[in-house]
Amino acid sequence: MTTARTLHAQLHLLDRQVVRAEDGRMICKVDDLELTTDEQGRPYVLAILAGPLALGPRIGGVVGRLVVGVTELFRPEEDPGPQRIPMITVSEIGSAVTVGGDVQEAALEHWVRVNVIAPLPGSGVETAAGERRPARRGDLTGRLRMSDLIGRRVVDDSGALVGQVADVRLSQDGPMLGEVQHAFRVAGLIVVPRHTGQLFGYERGPAGQAPALVAAVVRRLHRNSRYVTWEQVDVIADDVRLAVPTAELAPLAGLHRSMSR
Amino acid sequence: MRGQDARRALAAVTVALATCSVSGCVSPAWDDHDYALKAGATAQAAASSVELVRLAVQGEHDLTTAYLKVLLTDAAESLGSVNDQFGGVQPPSDASDRLRSQVTDLTSQAEDEVEDLLIEVRRGGIEQPDEAARTLERLGSELRRLGEAHR
Amino acid sequence: MKKVFAVTLGILTAIGGFVDIGDLVANSLVGARFGMSLAWVVVVGVVGICLFAEMSGRIAAVSQRPVFDLVRERLGPRAGLVNLGASFGINLLTLAAEIGGAALALELATGVNYLLWVPAVGLTAWLVMWRVRFSTMEKVFGLAGLALVAFAVALWQLDPDVGELTRQLTSPPPDEPVPTYWYYAIALLGAAMTPYEVFFFSSGGVEERWTRKDLVTARANVFVGFPLGGFLSLVIAACAATLFLPAQVQVDTLGQMVLPAGLALGKIGLAAVIFGVFAATFGATLETALSSGYTLSQYFGWQWGKYVRPKDAARFHASVLVAVIVATALILTTVDPIKVTEYSLVFSAAALPLTYLPVLMIANDPDYMGDKVNGRFSNFLGTAYMILLVVAAVAAIPLMIATKAGQ
């Protein structure tokens, strides 16, 4: 068996464009990821979440709350959730995330087309104004979101602060999704000491070395960053609690060698 | 995100300052020297407009009427606003009064001259471009001299 | 012939970026005040924009991802939103100024007040974006903007003192204060490297459906279009330095700026230049209006582009429409369009690093680029420009305050 594909959630999945497989039409961004746990209690990625209800919490602050608030105001259901695209429909992860099948279009797109674009001459929209889009049920459960995991504090076995989660490493060896695809399962966490900023992919070693000055600046900022394997995690509660002392954690630089690409 | 708040505040201040400098808030003159500096700047600005009109008048046969009209209207407006702004500054002493009349005499003459030319252009063309150019040249160089003297 | 037309995207981008209303006046103003002593900034700007436009064009051809997509992907939703806010605001101001500029050009041609032309310009621009195909649009307005080459002929006719112009290259006028000199240097750099140029250029590459096979076309666009834009900037500055600097005339309107062409070439030259100014500002109107739709859609992941029917990119077309309406309304308040762009140039200098850093990073990312990642030379220059842009961004707003915006 070949080694499982490894990805970093923040770097390779979050904020990428989602396109439709059949015609390359753009659907949305990967605004967040929904996680669930397998029998051993290890999280894996179940679905892509999109839309303002997924993006808002990630922006945070007043703006983020406003985005969520306004969206909820216009959604009919009691407890609306973001749009959910099951990982099983994902056929390719590259510079964009390609999904097969039919994804329901966003509510705003529909509203704008019917109420703004259709009345303009030459729009080519035949639908009559006032046409309603089939309502979508808020289909989110209270499962873990990737953005809840990223940014969470990490403490070691003695309760001493290690830092916070900057990225989540995933490997494609989780439970089967449907017939042919393995789920992306959490393989480990990249933990950075303070708010040292993003890694921008420069943790990947040889593949992310240029330009040298930028790489050097990012690496210098992250000299105290650590890589935590899933086996070293004790429990994920308000904080991520580790089963080992800080001293046993591998430095992030060690990840370069283990990364296949 | 304290840095962002600070940035936003800075931006707000900048916009406020920018609006002020665009709309040309005229500050009062504190003393004779300050007043003289303002007078000099006014003369320079007026000289620039006058010289521009002189260039256009000399090359009048190369320019279309519509274009000349727009150019002279702009120049007349800018001379007018320079005049108004300077006229709004209170001269601090008797010595400054003399300077004030020197500058406003010239800038008003310039404004009148340009407005006369504008009327001629609207009627079909400048009648005596050479003479107009000479007048403008004289006004321009006097204004320039005044500007150079107080800087 | 097909090959000739293939570079019109670059020409339209560059004409809209380099000789739009703000730059036309800024170049003329700088030429009249500082002679040719700021010409080096234009050269630095041309090299910089070529460098980053080449990267973004290459990324668009290899991975089909335009620049603002990359901004969000690499900087994340928060920093991406800050950049979106800044870029969108600057874009809207610029759009307002371009509509005003096109209307001013019509005023110069007809003598009818520009405010009467503003609604017509706004409506026509929107109709073009709504109905006309992207490739037709870029050919017509890119090539029409070339009428500005008349400035080069005018410069030759004015018979400038070449020795004097050359001397000015290295010696700024002694009576201008140093901060003012640097303020204008940053404004010119901001003008040459305005972010909407790469937004438009890379999105245009996707609209044209560039693939790996079109890398040569992408490069040709960059290396023909932008140097041409820079050349026109320099020629305009030289005209002003020849005619206005000796007479100590300060340039601050569009009408004054075209005077050298009229005096040197007569009515026909004047007409050609006014036509060129109209084409350039109208092209820039399209460029900035589409860019506001591009940035917004690419941040949120909406379907965008003129290559699909409007009904399939409803939110994109609606954003463009709203941007045009807001900008038209803004200019109808009689705010001076030229002042608007002079400020937006400086603000855009402050936003430059946030746009170009992700481009530099992705151009090095083999996940996106495969074997087409940056070479050493591009990376060396790219790093140098990042440092330069950070310095310019930090200095821009303090200098603006210190010099009272260059007065």
Side-chain angles (χ1 to χ4, degrees), chain C residues 121-145:
Chain C
V121 171
L123 182 67
T124 315
W126 176 73
L127 279 175
V128 169
M129 288 181 282
W130 178 245
R131 295 300 292 176
V132 178
R133 281 176 46 211
F134 193 88
S135 54
T136 315
M137 188 186 91
E138 86 188 17
K139 280 185 194 110
V140 170
F141 295 102
L143 295 179

Side-chain angles (χ1 to χ4, degrees), chain B residues 46-73:
Chain B
S48 159
S49 294
V50 170
E51 287 288 306
L52 180 86
V53 175
R54 180 181 64 81
L55 286 173
V57 168
Q58 279 175 342
E60 179 237 9
H61 52 277
D62 283 330
L63 305 169
T64 61
T65 313
Y67 172 75
L68 259 180
K69 206 185 93 185
V70 176
L71 195 70
L72 292 191
T73 311

Side-chain angles (χ1 to χ4, degrees), chain A residues 11-12 15-17 26 29 31 58-59 95-96 109 113 121-122 124-125 198 200 204 207 210-211 213, chain C residues 63 65 69 72-75 77-78 130-131 298 301 303-304 307 311 314-315 361 364-367 379 383:
Chain A
L11 181 66
H12 294 112
D15 301 309
R16 295 243 169 166
Q17 182 75 45
M26 297 156 205
K29 286 269 182 175
D31 286 325
R58 285 189 65 215
I59 294 175
S95 64
E109 175 82 8
R113 186 173 64 241
V125 184
Q198 280 161 278
F200 299 114
R204 281 170 304 169
L213 183 68
Chain C
S63 72
R65 300 268 71 83
D69 205 324
R72 156 104 188 251
E73 199 270 309
R74 218 39 35 146
L75 297 184
R78 248 184 244 179
W130 178 245
R131 295 300 292 176
Q298 288 161 13
Q303 173 66 46
W304 52 268
Y307 67 96
K311 76 180 179 85
R315 286 170 292 189
M361 285 173 165
N364 276 297
D365 191 333
D367 287 0
N379 274 335
T383 312

Side-chain angles (χ1 to χ4, degrees), chain A residues 22-35:
Chain A
E22 57 180 291
D23 53 6
R25 286 289 159 82
M26 297 156 205
I27 300 171
C28 57
K29 286 269 182 175
V30 180
D31 286 325
D32 211 337
L33 295 168
E34 190 187 65
L35 299 172

Side-chain angles (χ1 to χ4, degrees), chain A residues 92-142:
Chain A
E92 199 197 324
I93 299 173
S95 64
V97 177
T98 315
V99 300
D102 227 7
V103 179
Q104 194 183 18
E105 74 174 341
L108 182 65
E109 175 82 8
H110 182 85
W111 187 90
V112 170
R113 186 173 64 241
V114 172
N115 295 291
V116 181
I117 300 298
L120 297 172
S123 63
V125 184
E126 281 118 32
T127 48
E131 185 208 53
R132 297 195 75 85
R133 164 178 170 277
R136 191 178 68 226
R137 292 287 311 281
D139 36 21
L140 187 72
T141 61

